[in-house]
Amino acid sequence: MRGTNAVLGAAGLAVFLALGEAAPRLGLVKDEYFPPTSRIADALATELADDAFWTALGDTLTGWALGLAIAVTAGILAGVLISVTPYLREATASTIEFLRPIPSVALIPLAVLLYGTELRSVLLLVVYASFWQVLIQVMYGVQDVDPVAEETARSYGLGTWARTRHVLWPTALPYVMTGVRLAATVALILAVTAELVIGAPGLGARIAVAQTSQAVPEMYALVVVTGLLGLLINVGARTVERRALAWHQSVRGEVAV
């Protein structure tokens, strides 16, 4: 089944690349706005040979990784604390519902005002956007704990740490992994967006420079790189999720299929 899906995915990608090559050459679109796939591939090869490209890639991955790590850590700790404390949950419900829908890009002026084009501006946006993905999933996971299992653990004399380890965490872990996977993708989007708009060092800033200098093939090549990064991050997150949840029925069912 997985082999068939891989073949179909490769076939779909091949068709897409062929269309990208044919459309400008047939005059369906202007090649100065959408160059053929072969020209984009040449530009990508040139980028890969440029040391500045790898520096920009490192800057983007640094902002993504640091922001994601902070967001995941804060989201898990805050989610568990809020969920297991009834009064705290009630006190923060309105605040969470108010802050969560605010688009992270709306904070760009604040980030620029506070930190300019430094890495901290990228981190502010990445952490804010990714934090909610983890927090909400953790809260759902903790609230999904079976009260019968919780009471049974108490009746057997398990302490707070033991109940957290053997009852709460196994129940919440699938939700946590979903939140981390979503946050990983959101973190990359916000990292590139911050670089593109603010001008912080990274692939986004390099895309902006290519666009303003009319280097269209190079611009598309960099966009392809960000797409490949997103794909690798998503595949990596799913792999980690499957390994962490190898015992869970959802993953066992997926493997069986």
Side-chain angles (χ1 to χ4, degrees):
M1 185 66 178
R2 290 185 180 179
T4 302
N5 291 338
V7 171
L8 291 175
L13 179 61
V15 171
F16 176 76
L17 294 176
L19 290 175
E21 180 71 24
R25 295 191 182 281
L26 294 175
L28 300 178
V29 294
K30 294 184 178 180
D31 60 0
E32 59 262 34
Y33 302 130
F34 190 86
T37 302
S38 57
R39 286 182 59 195
I40 296 175
D42 291 340
L44 178 58
T46 302
E47 287 290 333
L48 295 177
D50 189 351
D51 291 339
F53 164 80
W54 295 104
T55 301
L57 178 61
D59 290 333
T60 296
L61 290 178
T62 298
W64 168 79
L66 287 177
L68 180 62
I70 295 171
V72 169
T73 302
I76 292 176
L77 294 177
V80 173
L81 180 62
I82 292 172
S83 298
V84 300
T85 311
Y87 293 110
L88 187 58
R89 183 167 64 245
E90 295 297 328
T92 58
S94 298
T95 304
I96 290 174
E97 292 304 318
F98 170 73
L99 294 175
R100 185 165 62 96
I102 297 177
S104 297
V105 292
L107 300 180
I108 288 178
L110 176 62
V112 174
L113 181 63
L114 292 175
Y115 304 119
T117 59
E118 298 179 11
L119 174 62
R120 288 182 290 180
S121 293
V122 177
L123 291 179
L124 174 63
L125 301 177
V126 170
V127 171
Y128 185 85
S130 304
F131 171 77
W132 302 111
Q133 308 295 326
V134 180
L135 176 70
I136 299 303
Q137 289 296 325
V138 171
M139 292 177 65
Y140 283 147
V142 175
Q143 293 169 13
D144 196 40
V145 173
D146 188 352
V148 175
E150 177 73 14
E151 289 302 321
T152 301
R154 288 179 183 274
S155 67
Y156 276 97
L158 272 68
T160 301
W161 170 247
R163 293 199 307 274
T164 300
R165 178 183 177 185
H166 298 292
V167 179
L168 186 151
W169 186 246
T171 302
L173 186 57
Y175 293 87
V176 173
M177 296 308 301
T178 298
V180 171
R181 175 163 50 83
L182 295 174
T185 302
V186 170
L188 178 64
I189 294 172
L190 265 298
V192 175
T193 300
E195 295 163 356
L196 185 63
V197 177
I198 297 175
L203 291 176
R206 198 167 173 85
I207 291 173
V209 170
Q211 186 267 331
T212 55
S213 61
Q214 300 298 312
V216 179
E218 288 75 11
M219 181 190 72
Y220 277 104
L222 292 168
V223 171
V224 168
V225 171
T226 60
L228 292 174
L229 271 182
L231 176 62
L232 291 175
I233 288 172
N234 188 57
V235 171
R238 287 187 176 277
T239 301
V240 172
E241 183 178 16
R242 283 195 295 268
R243 289 182 179 274
L245 300 176
W247 52 271
H248 197 264
Q249 59 182 3
S250 62
V251 174
R252 291 204 309 267
E254 179 181 319
V255 172
V257 173

